[in-house]
């Protein structure tokens, strides 16, 4: 297939994926505040799977969520799209690899808290890292600090460099960190360095996107979250010119002082190896997590958030706020969609 054809096909696909995340967000948003995270997750997963069926692709889920906490999910390895049954070399539909999180922030949705999103990333086959649903230590920064920090350097050192890159004092930095006992040491280190902290209950992916967007009030994300969110963050960083550095963390390494302690979890190691990950301790950078040339990143707000508004329901329809980004051509779209259900008298508001 010529480069131009691939670009055109992916450009069309991006609009189909926008629809997929919009319907997943709408389904999840219907359950906002019900206090039922599994129900919210299931609503998003089912809506996403249904919407994915007609997308003109030969799709494969390469990383997704649900294994860690036995939640409803689109399975890693699941074939999706109108061409799901076709062999890889069939050219009717483009072969696409997909990373999904139908509802990122199930608790946020269940309680009506900020920054719940429906999200996916897609790329040509091999364009997104294939990995199990596990943990990942991450460092995420925006364009100004790209290539300047080192996930293995002391926190104070990274914050000093970040402050230079952003031309502001360390005391004027805000670092977003998941509020988990495993981060006690990290939080103490950030405080000691003098930076401010935004402790979040969930949602290190939306925090990473905020870190790469000027004016969001978040300058970095540090700490251990999910690997699917890490791959999705990488896809977003390719579009936003930000950076993620990451390292897989196995269950028995999670609470260790040194997260790089040698693991005894041979079952997970074997699964990683089967998916092509030979060195479980290596540092992955943006291009290792999302090596694709044709990246599509689509996300819709479920609840109101830093970058996007949540789904609004009104008499004559729904309104969604989404971020749709592609690398080829390089576009970042903030999409405000009114899904009209009323009659010919429906008034569209600003
Ligand atoms: C993070 C966070 C997610 O999972 O990835 C986290 O960003 C990691 O897992 O929103 P634990 O909750 O087990 O610490 C979420 O909270 C849920 O996907
Ligand atoms: Mg998630
Ligand atoms: Mg999820």
């Amino acid at each position: 297939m010529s480069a131009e054809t691939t670009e055109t096909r992916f450009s069309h696909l991006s609009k189909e994926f926008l629809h997929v995340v919009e319907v997943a967000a709408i389904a999840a948003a219907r359950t906002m505040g019900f206090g039922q995270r599994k129900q919210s997750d299931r609503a998003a997963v089912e809506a996403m799977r249904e919407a994915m069926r007609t997308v003109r692709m030969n799709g494969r889920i390469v990383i997704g969520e649900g294994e860690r906490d036995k939640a409803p999910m689109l399975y890693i390895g699941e074939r999706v799209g109108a061409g799901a049954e076709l062999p890889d070399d069939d050219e009717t539909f483009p072969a696409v690899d997909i990373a999904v999180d139908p509802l990122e922030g199930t608790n946020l949705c269940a309680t009506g808290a900020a920054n719940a999103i429906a999200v996916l990333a897609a790329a040509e086959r091999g364009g997104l890292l294939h990995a199990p649903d596990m943990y990942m230590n991450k460092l995420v920064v925006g364009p100004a600090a790209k290539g300047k920090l080192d996930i293995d350097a002391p926190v104070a050192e990274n914050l000093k460099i970040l402050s230079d890159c952003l031309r502001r004092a360390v005391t004027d930095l805000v670092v977003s960190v998941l509020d988990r006992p495993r981060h006690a040491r990290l939080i103490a280190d950030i405080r000691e360095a003098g930076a401010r902290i935004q402790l979040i209950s969930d949602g290190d992916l939306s925090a990473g996107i905020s870190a790469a967007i000027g004016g969001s009030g978040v300058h970095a994300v540090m700490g251990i979250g999910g690997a699917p969110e890490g791959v999705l963050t990488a896809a977003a960083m390719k579009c936003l010119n930000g950076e993620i550095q990451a390292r897989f963390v196995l269950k028995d390494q999670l609470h260790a002082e040194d997260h790089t302690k040698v693991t005894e979890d041979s079952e997970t190691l074997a699964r990683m190896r089967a998916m092509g990950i030979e060195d479980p301790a290596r540092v992955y950078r943006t291009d290792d997590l999302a090596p694709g040339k044709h990246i599509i990143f689509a996300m819709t707000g479920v609840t109101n958030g830093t970058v996007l508004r949540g789904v609004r329901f009104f008499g004559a329809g729904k309104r969604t706020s989404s971020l749709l980004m592609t690398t080829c051509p390089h576009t970042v779209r903030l999409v405000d969609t009114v899904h009209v259900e009323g009659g010919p008298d429906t008034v569209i508001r600003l």
Side-chain angles (χ1 to χ4, degrees):
M1 207 185 299
S2 75
E4 194 192 19
T5 316
T6 309
E7 187 164 325
T8 312
R9 283 183 146 192
F10 272 72
S11 178
H12 289 294
L13 265 183
S14 70
K15 278 148 215 157
E16 296 189 55
F17 282 128
L18 171 65
H19 171 71
V20 171
V21 288
E22 282 179 344
V23 299
I26 290 168
R30 271 285 177 218
T31 72
M32 185 182 88
F34 288 8
Q36 303 287 340
R37 57 185 295 235
K38 288 258 154 80
Q39 183 195 346
S40 296
D41 209 9
R42 186 165 304 112
V45 169
E46 280 168 10
M48 189 176 265
R49 176 178 283 120
E50 178 58 26
M52 209 98 95
R53 277 195 318 124
T54 50
V55 176
R56 285 165 293 170
M57 64 173 168
N58 176 350
R60 182 181 72 162
I61 307 291
V62 289
I63 189 163
E65 221 198 20
E67 287 181 1
R68 260 175 309 145
D69 45 6
K70 305 204 168 34
M73 57 198 262
L74 282 150
Y75 296 85
I76 297 173
E78 186 171 336
R79 311 296 296 230
V80 289
E85 310 296 330
L86 297 171
D88 262 8
D89 55 3
D90 186 292
E91 297 226 332
T92 318
F93 298 104
V96 175
D97 278 359
I98 302 164
V100 282
D101 199 343
L103 178 56
E104 158 60 354
T106 52
N107 285 318
L108 302 174
C109 179
T111 60
N115 286 315
I117 52 174
V119 57
L120 68 76
E124 71 274 17
R125 189 113 312 152
L128 296 167
L129 188 76
H130 189 27
D133 178 16
M134 50 189 299
Y135 287 96
M136 189 178 250
N137 191 19
K138 313 169 195 179
L139 169 65
V140 187
V141 289
K146 182 156 87 173
K148 303 286 200 314
L149 276 61
D150 178 357
I151 194 171
D152 287 328
V155 169
E157 217 168 275
N158 278 332
L159 290 176
K160 176 73 188 69
I161 297 168
L162 181 59
S163 80
D164 290 342
C165 294
L166 292 172
R167 296 165 178 274
R168 58 172 68 211
V170 172
T171 50
D172 297 344
L173 294 175
V174 174
V175 183
S176 190
V177 179
L178 278 167
D179 192 3
R180 297 289 187 277
R182 61 177 179 265
H183 291 146
R185 168 81 185 277
L186 171 66
I187 291 167
D189 287 349
I190 298 171
R191 286 182 180 151
E192 192 165 318
R196 301 167 70 218
I197 302 178
Q198 183 184 58
L199 282 174
I200 52 173
S201 64
D202 293 283
D204 63 350
L205 166 56
S206 350
I209 287 167
S210 297
I213 295 181
S216 71
V218 176
H219 306 108
V221 178
M222 293 182 177
I224 300 174
E229 288 86 348
V231 170
L232 286 159
T233 302
M237 292 306 110
K238 295 260 280 209
C239 303
L240 293 168
N241 297 322
E243 179 183 36
I244 175 168
Q245 294 180 28
R247 181 182 271 122
F248 285 107
V249 176
L250 286 95
K251 276 237 167 69
D252 60 343
Q253 299 169 321
L254 202 54
H255 296 283
E257 263 293 287
D258 175 8
H259 301 305
T260 58
K261 155 181 176 285
V262 176
T263 180
E264 280 152 27
D265 184 352
S266 50
E267 195 190 316
T268 306
L269 283 181
R271 283 196 70 204
M272 292 170 81
R273 216 169 295 121
M275 293 189 192
I277 298 165
E278 291 299 335
D279 176 6
R282 70 171 274 209
V283 172
Y284 284 82
R285 290 168 185 279
T286 313
D287 274 319
D288 303 317
L289 296 170
K293 180 165 181 275
H294 299 270
I295 302 269
I296 298 169
F297 181 91
M299 120 183 181
T300 299
V302 175
T303 57
N304 284 334
T306 314
V307 175
L308 300 176
R309 296 192 65 182
V311 179
R312 282 142 290 156
F313 297 95
F314 53 95
K318 304 143 192 145
R319 189 158 188 160
T320 53
S321 155
S322 305
L323 178 62
L324 178 64
M325 311 192 283
T326 55
T327 49
C328 258
H330 194 166
T331 59
V332 175
R333 293 185 169 96
L334 283 156
V335 187
D336 182 359
T337 308
V338 182
H339 308 258
V340 183
E341 286 162 354
D345 297 335
T346 305
V347 176
I348 304 303
R349 293 155 52 112
L350 282 176

